Amino acid sequence: MASSSLLDLAPVLPVVVIEDAADAVPLARALVAGGLRAIEVTLRTPVALEALRAIADEVSGAVVGVGTVLTPGQVKESVAAGAGFLVSPGWTDLLLEAMQGSGVPFLPGVSTTSEVVALLERGVREMKFFPAEAAGGTAYLRSLAGPLPQARFCPTGGIGIDSAPEYLALPNVGCVGGSWMIPADAVAARDWARIEALAREAATLSAGGTCR
């Protein structure tokens, strides 16, 4: 991976649910052309791993990973299919051990202070904050920055183009996850130009109050 941190690849991590494997490559190309080269393909559909393989093989410049990772078996399958990173909505010791042994970057999900402390205790400093809006949003993350400044987050869940800048302005947020740049009607119409334009808009956002 070109960056030392998944959180630094782009201000926004597109969270993609692919229903038709034929959409994977053109969708990923549109996102990359718009400036969002890190792409999370969620394991929510039967074609997810097929889509991941296609993107990894055919889309130049993409750093494609897998989201909604729930089991050690999924960790193994995802890495074998070409995943460049792993994202989970939560974590257990077994899942964390599998992700740590996978050889690729990973973001275990947290929603409480105790979970953050437990991960820091295990040497993990980069995490997914999920579900961001429901779990307290920017106010919660701002409160964590004081006592736990070493933890960095990719908040995901309920974030859109209007709220993303508020998250990205926080010192402990490296990027945000979202799907607003991949509207379902645009995917259904295979309107890749629209998705590229929305991705380009998202890519202009900045993290930590700095310009990209």
Side-chain angles (χ1 to χ4, degrees):
M1 183 175 294
S3 171
S4 60
S5 168
L6 174 59
L7 300 185
D8 296 329
L9 285 175
V12 177
L13 177 63
V15 179
V16 181
V17 179
I18 296 178
E19 303 286 351
D20 185 343
D23 293 336
V25 168
L27 174 56
R29 284 178 175 155
L31 292 171
V32 172
L36 301 180
R37 65 192 191 95
I39 301 169
E40 175 188 331
V41 176
T42 63
L43 295 178
R44 300 181 195 175
T45 66
V47 302
L49 290 180
E50 180 184 352
L52 169 75
R53 287 190 196 95
I55 295 171
D57 290 344
E58 299 180 40
V59 183
S60 177
V63 179
V64 60
V66 168
T68 323
V69 177
L70 302 176
T71 68
Q74 288 179 330
V75 170
K76 184 176 180 180
E77 291 172 349
S78 298
V79 173
F85 61 87
L86 307 166
V87 183
S88 68
W91 65 279
T92 65
D93 283 328
L94 282 176
L95 180 58
L96 183 65
E97 182 180 352
M99 290 193 292
Q100 286 178 317
S102 68
V104 301
F106 59 92
L107 294 174
V110 297
S111 60
T112 69
T113 307
S114 294
E115 290 172 318
V116 176
V117 172
L119 284 176
L120 291 173
E121 195 176 72
R122 290 160 172 78
V124 178
R125 295 178 177 236
E126 298 188 344
M127 312 165 196
K128 171 179 177 173
F129 180 60
F130 177 83
E133 287 287 279
T138 55
Y140 195 99
L141 287 171
R142 189 178 296 110
S143 297
L144 291 181
L148 302 170
Q150 63 273 53
R152 295 182 73 216
F153 301 95
C154 174
T156 304
I159 299 174
I161 186 64
D162 293 329
S163 58
E166 298 173 17
Y167 282 93
L168 290 167
L170 299 175
N172 55 351
V173 170
C175 67
V176 299
S179 56
W180 74 84
M181 74 298 299
I182 318 163
D185 60 338
V187 176
R190 291 179 165 80
D191 189 350
W192 311 126
R194 180 183 170 199
I195 290 173
E196 180 180 338
L198 291 170
R200 185 169 289 108
E201 180 185 30
T204 64
L205 301 174
S206 61
T210 60
C211 296
R212 289 179 181 268

